[in-house]
Amino acid sequence: MNQTDRLRLPLLLDGATGTEYMKEGLPSGVCVEQWAAQHPEVVGKVVCAYADAGSDVVYAPTFLANAGNLANYGLQDRVQTLNCEIVSIVRTALGERKVLVAGDMSTTGLMCEPFGETEFVRLIEIYEEQAKALAQAGVDLLVIETMSSLAECRAAVLAARKTGLPILLTMTVDKEGRTMWGDDLLASMVVLQDLGIAAFGMNCSEGPEDMVPLFERIAPYAKVPLIAKPNAGNPVLTPVQFSHKVARLMRRGVKIIGGCCGTDPEYLSALRHMLDSFDIGKVQIPPADYEILVAARDVYYLDNDLEYSEPVTCELDMADTLLEMTHENCDAVLVRLDTPDDGYHFSLNAHMLDMPVAFESESLEALESALLHYNGKAIVVSTSCEIDKEDLQTLAERYGAIVM
């Protein structure tokens, strides 16, 4: 991402796409990505306006061009075609402008097990298809945005990182920092930043003012740059008011900014002016000196003297067993894994457990299945395990787990 001095942090993204397309005649109820591919003049006008306003990065409008959403329009076989066409339109329109093009990805519209019928590995396949298409189309980075499910975020990141491209990820939360599915912003950041994303933050959600306490909460735990792409506010802020409010977010540790619903090139021009005079070097956020685990959508502070439960064996229905664990005098539930199916079965029941999880196994394959499917940040227990410690560490790092 640091191709020129201007593209080093802090970084300016673009503004709203949907509301700009509506001004140009986008009708309701259509597949936006298909409409964009059929209206290259509109796409070109919007991305060039943001580039000319000072954006360092513009999003190719491939937002919902994945098989899950395209199936609603009978277009699930056009993932490769639509993503490549749209990126080509953006590249052609930008010409020699020195901006980066981001491949835009978002929700599939599908519900993951155990709350829906879609297997987690199927979500990964859907995101991998789109990420691969965007990489082949020549985008500079991938943006996963407007996400409200940690499970979908994990699937998208696991798929997108196979491209080797930088990944920015933003979630949409309420004023309390919870998504519509109940996932916590801090818990989500802790899980996702250890999966290899380049930056994390929020888009849409609220206006910039309401994001201030949320960034104050997560900034001390951030290992990656923070992103703020708020909407224009309610009541709607003027571009200058908006830029002043976003500056407050930058003083809370945000280093990548942009606009979402209701913002247009005038807003981005104001942000560019503010950003060019902002001294990011003066912002110092003291890091938290705690390691955090994540389970059941909440965070837990890691203690080196954790007491584990008696080993729990996995089966298809573990609800009663896991509910009983909440009354045990222990700090983390120790889950014994013998086969890869054990990890999958545990994932279908893990939501019943509001305690940190530790996995132990003599099988790397079983551990990998558990870490792949587990929607949190877990411990991998190395004591009394004959697997090479280096192999354990490599596997744990792949999924953001901690070896103890």
Side-chain angles (χ1 to χ4, degrees):
M1 288 162 50
N2 298 331
Q3 293 184 7
T4 70
D5 287 345
R6 184 177 173 187
L7 297 177
R8 293 195 178 99
L9 296 175
L11 197 64
L12 181 60
L13 306 176
D14 61 10
T17 298
T19 48
E20 292 302 287
Y21 286 179
M22 290 176 190
K23 296 176 184 177
E24 300 294 332
L26 171 67
S28 60
V30 302
C31 174
V32 176
E33 291 69 31
Q34 183 182 43
W35 186 90
Q38 294 170 344
H39 295 80
E41 73 286 353
V42 175
V43 173
K45 178 180 179 180
V46 172
V47 296
C48 289
Y50 284 130
D52 293 341
S55 293
D56 299 315
V57 180
V58 295
Y59 291 13
T62 52
F63 185 66
L64 297 178
N66 61 67
N69 273 290
L70 292 178
N72 296 324
Y73 306 95
L75 300 172
Q76 61 271 25
D77 295 330
R78 295 200 63 205
V79 173
Q80 175 82 19
T81 302
L82 279 175
N83 282 278
C84 288
E85 285 181 359
I86 292 171
V87 172
S88 178
I89 290 169
V90 171
R91 285 285 190 199
T92 300
L94 289 172
E96 298 301 316
R97 292 174 175 84
K98 302 298 183 182
V99 294
L100 294 180
V101 175
D104 196 2
M105 302 167 63
S106 191
T107 179
T108 63
L110 303 172
M111 288 186 64
C112 184
E113 292 180 323
F115 306 108
E117 298 181 353
T118 306
E119 293 185 359
F120 184 70
V121 291
R122 175 56 185 151
L123 285 181
I124 296 176
E125 291 172 353
I126 291 172
Y127 282 119
E128 186 173 352
E129 181 184 25
Q130 186 184 15
K132 183 178 179 181
L134 289 167
Q136 290 176 347
V139 298
D140 299 296
L141 66 154
L142 296 173
V143 172
I144 302 165
E145 65 159 326
T146 323
M147 301 296 282
S148 59
S149 161
L150 177 56
E152 272 207 310
C153 286
R154 290 186 67 249
V157 172
L158 290 172
R161 72 184 188 182
K162 294 180 182 181
T163 66
L165 293 171
I167 303 167
L168 311 187
L169 189 145
T170 54
M171 302 184 76
T172 298
V173 298
D174 60 20
K175 293 180 181 180
E176 304 304 316
R178 292 275 178 181
T179 71
M180 64 178 291
W181 295 111
D183 293 309
D184 176 68
L185 184 68
L186 176 59
S188 298
M189 182 186 73
V190 169
V191 170
L192 296 168
Q193 67 183 359
D194 287 335
L195 288 182
I197 60 175
F200 174 87
M202 290 174 273
N203 78 288
C204 201
S205 304
E206 308 288 342
E209 188 73 21
D210 291 322
M211 286 185 175
V212 169
L214 299 178
F215 278 110
E216 288 178 338
R217 180 181 176 226
I218 70 174
Y221 300 95
K223 300 176 184 178
V224 296
L226 294 175
I227 309 168
K229 211 169 187 277
N231 61 38
N234 185 20
V236 175
L237 299 168
T238 67
V240 172
Q241 290 171 333
F242 183 79
S243 68
H244 287 166
K245 300 288 186 182
V246 173
R248 289 192 64 197
L249 297 178
M250 296 188 68
R251 289 192 286 272
R252 268 72 178 178
V254 172
K255 294 182 179 180
I256 303 175
I257 61 172
C260 204
C261 302
T263 63
D264 60 22
E266 287 188 31
Y267 285 78
L268 270 295
S269 181
L271 287 179
R272 179 80 262 168
H273 180 75
M274 178 273 292
L275 198 61
D276 287 343
S277 61
F278 191 93
D279 188 352
I280 197 75
K282 289 185 177 180
V283 179
Q284 300 294 326
I285 307 297
D289 57 356
Y290 299 102
E291 185 75 64
I292 294 181
L293 300 171
V294 175
R297 299 170 174 168
D298 285 309
V299 296
Y300 300 85
Y301 295 96
L302 179 62
D303 188 327
N304 289 328
D305 297 321
L306 283 179
E307 291 189 15
Y308 300 120
S309 70
E310 290 297 314
V312 174
T313 56
C314 296
E315 52 189 339
L316 190 57
D317 185 357
M318 303 173 62
D320 290 341
T321 300
L322 296 181
L323 284 173
E324 290 174 4
M325 288 292 104
T326 61
H327 302 294
E328 293 290 320
N329 185 25
C330 61
D331 301 309
V333 174
L334 183 61
V335 179
R336 176 69 192 178
L337 307 164
D338 294 317
T339 70
D341 284 344
D342 287 344
Y344 171 64
H345 290 158
F346 176 74
S347 73
L348 300 180
N349 295 271
H351 62 283
M352 306 298 297
L353 191 62
D354 60 355
M355 297 175 66
V357 172
F359 294 120
E360 68 169 2
S361 181
E362 297 297 334
S363 166
L364 277 175
E365 291 78 10
L367 279 171
E368 177 149 28
S369 176
L371 294 174
L372 170 71
H373 287 94
Y374 181 58
N375 201 35
K377 184 178 179 69
I379 296 169
V380 175
V381 177
S382 62
T383 55
S384 71
C385 175
E386 295 183 2
I387 299 175
D388 183 80
K389 184 71 173 287
E390 186 174 331
D391 291 338
L392 274 182
Q393 190 66 47
T394 299
L395 179 63
E397 288 177 359
R398 190 180 307 155
Y399 295 100
I402 300 173
V403 176
M404 293 187 69

